[in-house]
Amino acid sequence: MKVLVTGCNGQVGSSLVAQLEGKAEVLAVDRDQLDITDEAAVNEAVAAFNPDVVINAAAHTAVDRAEEEVELSYQINRDGPRFLARAAEKAGAAMLHISTDYVFSGDEEGAYSEGDQTNPQGVYGESKLAGELAVSEACPQHIILRTAWVFGETGNNFVKTMIRLGRDRDQLGIVGDQFGGPTYAGDIAAALIVIAERFMRGESVAWGVYHYSGLPSVSWFEFASHIFEQAKAQGVIDSVPALSSITTADYPTPAKRPANSRLSMDKIETNFGIAACDWQAALADIRPYG
């Protein structure tokens, strides 16, 4: 199996590269090696490597900056995926693309299913939804994997931020009225590899949009409480700061955050046998995050 991985230094990308070692011939690129917004460069790289699977883990994920960096957001989140998907289609490859819960408004109750109405509330979500549409139009053999609340050992994420703040502050206010499923980057990578390997074995693949995130669903406040409990127990921090649950209104941001980021796992479990991420197990050893 030959796999092209973009965004190889990000949370999911680095996990993909590590887990594919010994399983596939991998061309791992970040923006310095391949600017996915350059269509000619994408076509040249894909033609030269001739991958069986293209996995796009590159994205403009700075949610608040996206409100100002509109053009850049669309270039990276829409145009880049389109160029990769077109090149994958020419090569006869499958295209696996990571998307986000931000394509939904977050105002509905319960877990969002793949067929629920999309209604992004900011530039990040709008540009990611545009990327989904671009991929689906350019390459019939595609999987769009929506995920949420991603954390891992590399890059910036909520777990690392909490550990850093926990060392510096005695008190913290954490948003308690936004809910979702924390999702370990390594489990996202593993899910994508399961799908890629099924394709390579010539088995039937139900292409389209899927959701993948963690259970149990929690608030950011509850997630932070678990992080600090583990960090203190494992000696990563000396003491747990006093936590208070605050509202979204208490912590205004340039971009609106979804109040509900819960994603239904039914479809991916039925079609691929992939279970929800056990984020608590992923934090059983919290030391690599600190």
Side-chain angles (χ1 to χ4, degrees), residues 11-272:
Q11 295 190 91
V12 178
S14 59
S15 295
L16 281 164
V17 173
Q19 292 184 34
L20 284 167
E21 184 175 357
K23 294 183 177 180
E25 179 183 350
V26 178
L27 175 60
V29 296
D30 61 15
R31 191 168 188 177
D32 291 339
Q33 287 93 41
L34 177 63
D35 180 358
I36 66 170
T37 70
D38 182 338
E39 185 170 19
V42 168
N43 288 336
E44 181 179 352
V46 172
F49 184 59
N50 194 31
D52 300 300
V53 179
V54 175
I55 305 181
N56 180 37
H60 186 288
T61 59
V63 175
D64 289 326
R65 287 212 320 267
E67 295 299 309
E68 300 293 332
E69 299 173 344
V70 178
E71 183 177 0
L72 180 63
S73 297
Y74 276 89
Q75 287 175 343
I76 298 173
N77 294 340
R78 177 195 61 194
D79 300 341
R82 174 186 289 124
F83 300 152
L84 287 165
R86 285 177 178 171
E89 171 65 9
K90 290 178 186 175
M95 172 75 181
L96 311 187
H97 174 67
I98 300 169
S99 193
T100 174
D101 60 295
Y102 276 73
V103 301
F104 298 112
S105 69
D107 296 332
E108 303 299 323
E109 297 293 329
Y112 280 98
S113 296
E114 289 80 356
D116 285 343
Q117 181 66 45
T118 54
N119 184 20
Q121 299 294 296
V123 172
Y124 171 65
E126 291 167 352
S127 64
K128 290 295 289 183
L129 180 59
E132 289 187 9
L133 297 173
V135 167
S136 64
E137 291 170 356
C139 184
Q141 293 185 138
H142 69 268
I143 295 289
I144 294 164
L145 194 71
R146 293 175 182 152
T147 189
W149 292 26
V150 180
F151 68 92
E153 298 88 348
T154 62
N156 298 315
N157 56 67
F158 186 76
V159 175
K160 288 188 167 190
T161 298
M162 289 300 101
I163 292 173
R164 175 175 54 80
L165 293 176
R167 290 183 173 132
D168 297 336
R169 301 187 188 180
D170 296 327
Q171 301 180 41
L172 285 173
I174 309 294
V175 173
D177 60 356
Q178 296 172 16
F179 296 86
T183 316
Y184 176 51
D187 289 341
I188 299 171
L192 290 166
I193 291 170
V194 166
I195 296 169
E197 289 179 333
R198 175 174 290 195
F199 169 65
M200 287 306 298
R201 290 195 299 268
E203 297 177 17
S204 175
V205 175
W207 305 108
V209 178
Y210 288 85
H211 290 171
Y212 183 76
S213 68
L215 287 175
S217 296
V218 288
S219 68
W220 289 115
F221 175 80
E222 292 168 326
F223 189 24
S225 299
H226 182 85
I227 292 166
F228 285 124
E229 178 184 323
Q230 292 294 99
K232 175 64 167 64
Q234 297 174 35
V236 174
I237 58 175
D238 294 329
S239 61
V240 175
L243 302 183
S244 59
S245 178
I246 64 174
T247 68
T248 299
D250 294 327
Y251 188 73
T253 55
K256 180 183 177 183
R257 265 60 174 175
N260 177 20
S261 292
R262 300 178 183 94
L263 301 175
S264 170
M265 290 286 297
D266 291 347
K267 184 178 177 182
I268 199 167
E269 289 182 2
T270 298
N271 287 353
F272 293 105

